[in-house]
Amino acid sequence: MKKRLRLWKEDKSMPAKNKEPLPQDDAYLQIWKIEQEHSRTRWNVATFFLSISFAILGLSFDKDNQVGLNIFCLSLPDAQRIIGLLIYWFGYIIFVQFNRYSTFLRSRLRDMEKQKLVSFSFQSDAREFMYSKVRAAFSATRLLLYFGILYIAIVIILALFASPPTLP
């Protein structure tokens, strides 16, 4: 990490203290601020829906909830788990939609850097660091996808093996 910071400080693409900023620096920073705010909103919205999903999953284990009520041939806990799962995937889809716009903004920033319209290269450096071969498999979008698949498996296992008996 220290080596990476040292290399970053020595990077010629970083503006020197006596170097004049390029005309597009302000536009770049404005786009960067928009992307940062958009990313913050993306995570807030996704976190809201994921939290609701997990809260519903947790409520499905409530002992007082284990009544013989059936909804569409499902026990109440199974119906709650499926609803929680649907909310999870709704949150994931919203996350992916927000991420598409963030990706668009970041690509515009990288284009400005490649064309040397700005005096720094934050997005290009960040992309190089974040998407190395090892880290690419662990992007937030992929981790949420993997966890969603695990969530499906857990709901299916609980539906098959942990369903409470229904009253006749």
Side-chain angles (χ1 to χ4, degrees):
M1 180 72 173
K2 288 181 182 180
K3 181 180 178 183
R4 180 102 178 126
L5 289 173
R6 185 173 40 80
L7 291 174
W8 188 57
K9 288 178 184 176
E10 296 170 1
D11 186 3
K12 303 277 190 267
S13 66
M14 295 299 297
K17 291 190 184 219
N18 58 2
K19 187 176 179 182
E20 288 293 318
L22 294 174
Q24 293 292 319
D25 283 358
D26 288 334
Y28 179 95
L29 291 175
Q30 289 300 319
I31 295 170
W32 183 79
K33 286 178 186 177
I34 291 168
E35 194 277 328
Q36 291 296 305
E37 188 61 36
H38 191 75
S39 291
R40 185 176 300 115
T41 302
R42 172 185 63 191
W43 278 107
N44 286 339
V45 170
T47 302
F48 171 77
F49 283 107
L50 300 181
S51 298
I52 296 297
S53 169
F54 297 136
I56 292 172
L57 176 66
L59 287 174
S60 74
F61 294 104
D62 185 18
K63 292 286 185 201
D64 295 334
N65 203 13
Q66 306 293 323
V67 296
L69 180 65
N70 284 330
I71 301 171
F72 299 115
C73 299
L74 294 171
S75 67
L76 184 58
D78 287 341
Q80 288 174 320
R81 292 171 189 146
I82 290 171
I83 290 169
L85 183 64
L86 292 174
I87 291 172
Y88 178 90
W89 284 107
F90 179 75
Y92 176 78
I93 289 168
I94 289 175
F95 179 85
V96 169
Q97 280 300 111
F98 273 100
N99 194 44
R100 289 178 64 211
Y101 186 65
S102 290
T103 302
F104 167 77
L105 291 174
R106 287 191 300 268
S107 71
R108 292 298 165 249
L109 293 173
R110 281 191 301 278
D111 288 345
M112 292 174 79
E113 293 169 4
K114 286 178 186 173
Q115 296 171 7
K116 304 289 186 201
L117 299 175
V118 293
S119 59
F120 32 77
S121 60
F122 298 130
Q123 284 299 318
S124 297
D125 294 343
R127 182 179 176 93
E128 180 183 325
F129 176 74
M130 292 300 295
Y131 292 103
S132 66
K133 291 179 183 177
V134 174
R135 290 184 182 98
F138 298 108
S139 70
T141 306
R142 286 189 181 169
L143 287 174
L144 289 173
L145 176 66
Y146 301 153
F147 195 76
I149 293 168
L150 179 64
Y151 197 167
I152 289 172
I154 290 169
V155 168
I156 290 172
I157 289 168
L158 288 172
L160 294 176
F161 301 110
S163 293
T166 57
L167 297 176

